[in-house]
PDB file of all heavy atoms in Angstrom:
ATOM      1  N   GLY Z 379      -0.609 -23.269  -8.095  1.00  0.00           N
ATOM      2  CA  GLY Z 379      -1.517 -22.399  -8.786  1.00  0.00           C
ATOM      3  C   GLY Z 379      -0.800 -21.476  -9.729  1.00  0.00           C
ATOM      4  O   GLY Z 379      -1.290 -20.393 -10.149  1.00  0.00           O
ATOM      5  N   ASN Z 380       0.361 -21.915 -10.233  1.00  0.00           N
ATOM      6  CA  ASN Z 380       1.140 -21.009 -11.159  1.00  0.00           C
ATOM      7  C   ASN Z 380       0.553 -20.865 -12.524  1.00  0.00           C
ATOM      8  O   ASN Z 380       0.945 -20.023 -13.304  1.00  0.00           O
ATOM      9  CB  ASN Z 380       2.575 -21.563 -11.342  1.00  0.00           C
ATOM     10  CG  ASN Z 380       3.360 -21.375 -10.079  1.00  0.00           C
ATOM     11  OD1 ASN Z 380       4.006 -22.354  -9.587  1.00  0.00           O
ATOM     12  ND2 ASN Z 380       3.459 -20.243  -9.458  1.00  0.00           N
ATOM     13  N   PHE Z 381      -0.462 -21.805 -12.852  1.00  0.00           N
ATOM     14  CA  PHE Z 381      -1.177 -21.578 -14.071  1.00  0.00           C
ATOM     15  C   PHE Z 381      -2.422 -20.803 -14.081  1.00  0.00           C
ATOM     16  O   PHE Z 381      -3.104 -20.619 -15.072  1.00  0.00           O
ATOM     17  CB  PHE Z 381      -1.441 -22.920 -14.791  1.00  0.00           C
ATOM     18  CG  PHE Z 381      -0.178 -23.918 -14.909  1.00  0.00           C
ATOM     19  CD1 PHE Z 381      -0.374 -25.234 -14.644  1.00  0.00           C
ATOM     20  CD2 PHE Z 381       0.943 -23.305 -15.321  1.00  0.00           C
ATOM     21  CE1 PHE Z 381       0.770 -26.086 -14.819  1.00  0.00           C
ATOM     22  CE2 PHE Z 381       2.055 -24.171 -15.466  1.00  0.00           C
ATOM     23  CZ  PHE Z 381       2.006 -25.574 -15.243  1.00  0.00           C
ATOM     24  N   ASP Z 382      -2.852 -20.313 -12.871  1.00  0.00           N
ATOM     25  CA  ASP Z 382      -4.121 -19.705 -12.705  1.00  0.00           C
ATOM     26  C   ASP Z 382      -4.384 -18.475 -13.544  1.00  0.00           C
ATOM     27  O   ASP Z 382      -5.499 -18.172 -13.906  1.00  0.00           O
ATOM     28  CB  ASP Z 382      -4.302 -19.482 -11.248  1.00  0.00           C
ATOM     29  CG  ASP Z 382      -4.484 -20.700 -10.375  1.00  0.00           C
ATOM     30  OD1 ASP Z 382      -4.467 -21.880 -10.948  1.00  0.00           O
ATOM     31  OD2 ASP Z 382      -4.381 -20.591  -9.159  1.00  0.00           O
ATOM     32  N   ASN Z 383      -3.266 -17.663 -13.700  1.00  0.00           N
ATOM     33  CA  ASN Z 383      -3.512 -16.390 -14.284  1.00  0.00           C
ATOM     34  C   ASN Z 383      -3.255 -16.425 -15.879  1.00  0.00           C
ATOM     35  O   ASN Z 383      -3.294 -15.443 -16.509  1.00  0.00           O
ATOM     36  CB  ASN Z 383      -2.562 -15.264 -13.683  1.00  0.00           C
ATOM     37  CG  ASN Z 383      -3.032 -14.918 -12.314  1.00  0.00           C
ATOM     38  OD1 ASN Z 383      -4.014 -15.454 -11.738  1.00  0.00           O
ATOM     39  ND2 ASN Z 383      -2.337 -14.100 -11.680  1.00  0.00           N
ATOM     40  N   CYS Z 384      -3.019 -17.551 -16.288  1.00  0.00           N
ATOM     41  CA  CYS Z 384      -2.672 -17.706 -17.664  1.00  0.00           C
ATOM     42  C   CYS Z 384      -3.819 -17.914 -18.737  1.00  0.00           C
ATOM     43  O   CYS Z 384      -3.836 -17.825 -19.820  1.00  0.00           O
ATOM     44  CB  CYS Z 384      -1.776 -18.892 -17.997  1.00  0.00           C
ATOM     45  SG  CYS Z 384      -0.134 -18.470 -18.631  1.00  0.00           S
ATOM     46  N   ASP Z 385      -5.022 -18.112 -18.018  1.00  0.00           N
ATOM     47  CA  ASP Z 385      -6.171 -18.484 -18.816  1.00  0.00           C
ATOM     48  C   ASP Z 385      -5.944 -19.533 -19.822  1.00  0.00           C
ATOM     49  O   ASP Z 385      -6.116 -19.338 -21.112  1.00  0.00           O
ATOM     50  CB  ASP Z 385      -6.731 -17.152 -19.533  1.00  0.00           C
ATOM     51  CG  ASP Z 385      -8.017 -17.302 -20.093  1.00  0.00           C
ATOM     52  OD1 ASP Z 385      -8.953 -18.091 -19.456  1.00  0.00           O
ATOM     53  OD2 ASP Z 385      -8.385 -16.732 -21.096  1.00  0.00           O
ATOM     54  N   ILE Z 386      -5.507 -20.660 -19.401  1.00  0.00           N
ATOM     55  CA  ILE Z 386      -5.069 -21.794 -20.201  1.00  0.00           C
ATOM     56  C   ILE Z 386      -5.836 -23.024 -19.856  1.00  0.00           C
ATOM     57  O   ILE Z 386      -6.060 -23.235 -18.663  1.00  0.00           O
ATOM     58  CB  ILE Z 386      -3.547 -22.000 -20.159  1.00  0.00           C
ATOM     59  CG1 ILE Z 386      -3.187 -23.041 -21.263  1.00  0.00           C
ATOM     60  CG2 ILE Z 386      -3.109 -22.360 -18.836  1.00  0.00           C
ATOM     61  CD1 ILE Z 386      -1.606 -23.131 -21.398  1.00  0.00           C
ATOM     62  N   SER Z 387      -6.283 -23.795 -20.712  1.00  0.00           N
ATOM     63  CA  SER Z 387      -7.120 -24.999 -20.482  1.00  0.00           C
ATOM     64  C   SER Z 387      -6.130 -26.176 -20.021  1.00  0.00           C
ATOM     65  O   SER Z 387      -5.019 -26.132 -20.333  1.00  0.00           O
ATOM     66  CB  SER Z 387      -7.911 -25.330 -21.720  1.00  0.00           C
ATOM     67  OG  SER Z 387      -7.068 -25.783 -22.765  1.00  0.00           O
ATOM     68  N   GLU Z 388      -6.768 -27.111 -19.346  1.00  0.00           N
ATOM     69  CA  GLU Z 388      -6.106 -28.300 -18.989  1.00  0.00           C
ATOM     70  C   GLU Z 388      -5.548 -29.093 -20.188  1.00  0.00           C
ATOM     71  O   GLU Z 388      -4.436 -29.678 -20.152  1.00  0.00           O
ATOM     72  CB  GLU Z 388      -7.037 -29.267 -18.203  1.00  0.00           C
ATOM     73  CG  GLU Z 388      -7.469 -28.698 -16.805  1.00  0.00           C
ATOM     74  CD  GLU Z 388      -6.257 -28.802 -15.891  1.00  0.00           C
ATOM     75  OE1 GLU Z 388      -5.344 -29.565 -16.116  1.00  0.00           O
ATOM     76  OE2 GLU Z 388      -6.205 -28.035 -14.943  1.00  0.00           O
ATOM     77  N   LYS Z 389      -6.361 -29.067 -21.254  1.00  0.00           N
ATOM     78  CA  LYS Z 389      -5.901 -29.777 -22.460  1.00  0.00           C
ATOM     79  C   LYS Z 389      -4.643 -29.061 -23.000  1.00  0.00           C
ATOM     80  O   LYS Z 389      -3.748 -29.807 -23.418  1.00  0.00           O
ATOM     81  CB  LYS Z 389      -6.990 -29.575 -23.549  1.00  0.00           C
ATOM     82  CG  LYS Z 389      -6.750 -30.473 -24.784  1.00  0.00           C
ATOM     83  CD  LYS Z 389      -7.872 -30.328 -25.791  1.00  0.00           C
ATOM     84  CE  LYS Z 389      -7.593 -31.171 -27.021  1.00  0.00           C
ATOM     85  NZ  LYS Z 389      -8.733 -31.085 -28.067  1.00  0.00           N
ATOM     86  N   GLU Z 390      -4.528 -27.846 -23.005  1.00  0.00           N
ATOM     87  CA  GLU Z 390      -3.357 -27.141 -23.586  1.00  0.00           C
ATOM     88  C   GLU Z 390      -2.143 -27.374 -22.602  1.00  0.00           C
ATOM     89  O   GLU Z 390      -0.997 -27.477 -23.103  1.00  0.00           O
ATOM     90  CB  GLU Z 390      -3.563 -25.592 -23.595  1.00  0.00           C
ATOM     91  CG  GLU Z 390      -2.553 -24.814 -24.407  1.00  0.00           C
ATOM     92  CD  GLU Z 390      -2.846 -23.456 -24.748  1.00  0.00           C
ATOM     93  OE1 GLU Z 390      -4.038 -22.995 -24.469  1.00  0.00           O
ATOM     94  OE2 GLU Z 390      -2.004 -22.623 -25.225  1.00  0.00           O
ATOM     95  N   ILE Z 391      -2.436 -27.437 -21.322  1.00  0.00           N
ATOM     96  CA  ILE Z 391      -1.353 -27.746 -20.401  1.00  0.00           C
ATOM     97  C   ILE Z 391      -0.766 -29.139 -20.654  1.00  0.00           C
ATOM     98  O   ILE Z 391       0.470 -29.310 -20.589  1.00  0.00           O
ATOM     99  CB  ILE Z 391      -1.809 -27.588 -18.904  1.00  0.00           C
ATOM    100  CG1 ILE Z 391      -2.097 -26.172 -18.567  1.00  0.00           C
ATOM    101  CG2 ILE Z 391      -0.686 -28.102 -17.929  1.00  0.00           C
ATOM    102  CD1 ILE Z 391      -2.739 -25.920 -17.197  1.00  0.00           C
ATOM    103  N   GLU Z 392      -1.663 -30.046 -20.911  1.00  0.00           N
ATOM    104  CA  GLU Z 392      -1.218 -31.371 -21.227  1.00  0.00           C
ATOM    105  C   GLU Z 392      -0.421 -31.419 -22.538  1.00  0.00           C
ATOM    106  O   GLU Z 392       0.641 -32.137 -22.661  1.00  0.00           O
ATOM    107  CB  GLU Z 392      -2.440 -32.320 -21.381  1.00  0.00           C
ATOM    108  CG  GLU Z 392      -3.070 -32.652 -19.998  1.00  0.00           C
ATOM    109  CD  GLU Z 392      -2.087 -33.433 -19.085  1.00  0.00           C
ATOM    110  OE1 GLU Z 392      -1.382 -34.334 -19.583  1.00  0.00           O
ATOM    111  OE2 GLU Z 392      -1.967 -33.110 -17.922  1.00  0.00           O
ATOM    112  N   GLY Z 393      -0.758 -30.634 -23.472  1.00  0.00           N
ATOM    113  CA  GLY Z 393      -0.011 -30.506 -24.769  1.00  0.00           C
ATOM    114  C   GLY Z 393       1.311 -29.907 -24.496  1.00  0.00           C
ATOM    115  O   GLY Z 393       2.327 -30.390 -25.153  1.00  0.00           O
ATOM    116  N   ILE Z 394       1.488 -28.952 -23.667  1.00  0.00           N
ATOM    117  CA  ILE Z 394       2.807 -28.417 -23.344  1.00  0.00           C
ATOM    118  C   ILE Z 394       3.605 -29.442 -22.717  1.00  0.00           C
ATOM    119  O   ILE Z 394       4.884 -29.611 -22.923  1.00  0.00           O
ATOM    120  CB  ILE Z 394       2.603 -27.141 -22.366  1.00  0.00           C
ATOM    121  CG1 ILE Z 394       1.908 -26.076 -23.143  1.00  0.00           C
ATOM    122  CG2 ILE Z 394       4.072 -26.561 -22.025  1.00  0.00           C
ATOM    123  CD1 ILE Z 394       1.481 -24.851 -22.244  1.00  0.00           C
ATOM    124  N   LYS Z 395       3.031 -30.211 -21.805  1.00  0.00           N
ATOM    125  CA  LYS Z 395       3.749 -31.251 -21.051  1.00  0.00           C
ATOM    126  C   LYS Z 395       4.283 -32.273 -21.963  1.00  0.00           C
ATOM    127  O   LYS Z 395       5.450 -32.700 -21.877  1.00  0.00           O
ATOM    128  CB  LYS Z 395       2.845 -31.914 -20.057  1.00  0.00           C
ATOM    129  CG  LYS Z 395       3.516 -32.932 -19.102  1.00  0.00           C
ATOM    130  CD  LYS Z 395       2.626 -33.675 -18.366  1.00  0.00           C
ATOM    131  CE  LYS Z 395       1.718 -32.938 -17.386  1.00  0.00           C
ATOM    132  NZ  LYS Z 395       0.771 -33.745 -16.548  1.00  0.00           N
ATOM    133  N   GLU Z 396       3.516 -32.712 -22.964  1.00  0.00           N
ATOM    134  CA  GLU Z 396       3.904 -33.646 -23.970  1.00  0.00           C
ATOM    135  C   GLU Z 396       5.021 -33.086 -24.834  1.00  0.00           C
ATOM    136  O   GLU Z 396       5.944 -33.853 -25.262  1.00  0.00           O
ATOM    137  CB  GLU Z 396       2.716 -34.202 -24.811  1.00  0.00           C
ATOM    138  CG  GLU Z 396       1.734 -34.982 -23.970  1.00  0.00           C
ATOM    139  CD  GLU Z 396       2.365 -36.205 -23.431  1.00  0.00           C
ATOM    140  OE1 GLU Z 396       3.172 -36.865 -24.180  1.00  0.00           O
ATOM    141  OE2 GLU Z 396       2.156 -36.529 -22.258  1.00  0.00           O
TER     142      GLU Z 396
END
Side-chain angles (χ1 to χ4, degrees):
N380 290 127
F381 302 143
D382 292 353
N383 290 358
C384 240
D385 191 31
I386 188 170
S387 66
E388 289 291 333
K389 184 177 180 180
E390 190 170 353
I391 291 173
E392 287 299 317
I394 296 170
K395 186 192 299 183
E396 290 304 311

